[in-house]
Amino acid sequence: TSSLIGQAVNIRGIVTAGDDAFGSGNFYLHEGTGPFKGVKCYAPGYDGSILEGDDVTICGQVTEYYNETEIYLHFPEALVVHSNGNPTYGYTEITTAQANSLSVEAERYEGQLCEFNDVTVTYEPNTYGEWRVRDSSGEDAWVGDYGFYYYQPEVLDSLSELRGILMYSYSDYKLEPRSDDDIIGPPTVGTARY
């Protein structure tokens, strides 16, 4: 639990997943790479769109929503978009062991734009669309399906890079790819001609 629970804060950062990525007024921003550099924001009632690459300041209250830290917008005017189309700070490279729900390190990366490298699919999607991958650390990490991607994982698929926001939901940490652009490899058929 954050030591700032219940306090009002002002946070400025670059949006890594807009309110169009996962829906429901949620977006994610970060102020750099590394632990404790990203956070989930919830902005109910905000009329505008918040898109990846926006430079924003949000004034809100630090809350824990089902054990995931978030900034809850005070009122619609407490969110300011300074500019659009900015580059993000890149991805924080972590291992699947660090993102494992049993790891003490996982919470440090909650809300952060993260990346696994050279992973293998070890578990096909369950009834909730969640699947698992493993890298050279030897431990599995969950991958969720909140984003909008078409990739259908199969056991033993090799992915050179797997990116997304590390979230906490239903008692597990999960890497949530935002789109197919976050899933690199295996090769796919782009066009077919007879």
Side-chain angles (χ1 to χ4, degrees):
T1 301
S2 171
S3 60
L4 299 175
I5 289 291
Q7 294 185 34
V9 296
N10 287 314
I11 293 181
R12 183 172 182 175
I14 304 295
V15 174
T16 54
D19 57 5
D20 59 337
F22 303 114
S24 303
N26 295 316
F27 67 95
Y28 292 79
L29 59 82
H30 69 175
E31 59 179 9
T33 57
F36 303 113
K37 295 289 186 180
V39 70
K40 173 185 179 183
C41 300
Y42 180 55
Y46 180 72
D47 285 341
S49 293
I50 303 162
L51 303 175
E52 183 180 333
D54 286 354
D55 177 2
V56 303
T57 296
I58 181 171
C59 175
Q61 183 176 16
V62 179
T63 64
E64 290 277 335
Y65 184 73
Y66 289 100
N67 296 318
E68 184 176 37
T69 302
E70 71 178 19
I71 308 302
Y72 189 96
L73 182 69
H74 282 308
F75 46 88
E77 296 78 18
L79 181 96
V80 176
V81 178
H82 303 288
S83 62
N84 313 102
N86 299 287
T88 66
Y89 295 100
Y91 304 93
T92 297
E93 292 182 22
I94 61 173
T95 65
T96 55
Q98 288 174 297
N100 185 294
S101 294
L102 300 177
S103 170
V104 295
E105 294 183 47
E107 181 149 7
R108 298 174 186 171
Y109 301 100
E110 181 184 284
Q112 178 68 359
L113 183 59
C114 293
E115 176 182 76
F116 299 145
N117 288 301
D118 300 318
V119 295
T120 301
V121 176
T122 58
Y123 183 85
E124 290 184 11
N126 60 21
T127 55
Y128 302 104
E130 300 165 342
W131 42 292
R132 288 191 293 216
V133 295
R134 180 182 304 159
D135 63 13
S136 60
S137 70
E139 294 188 37
D140 285 2
W142 283 104
V143 181
D145 69 342
Y146 284 168
F148 300 102
Y149 59 88
Y150 296 103
Y151 169 65
Q152 295 296 315
E154 295 182 13
V155 171
L156 299 182
D157 276 356
S158 293
L159 304 175
S160 57
E161 296 173 35
L162 182 60
R163 306 166 175 163
I165 306 293
L166 190 65
M167 296 183 190
Y168 186 81
S169 63
Y170 298 101
S171 301
D172 280 310
Y173 286 97
K174 300 174 188 80
L175 189 73
E176 296 285 351
R178 299 161 297 173
S179 69
D180 281 306
D181 292 340
D182 283 336
I183 303 168
I184 301 170
T188 58
V189 175
T191 59
R193 293 194 309 176
Y194 179 72

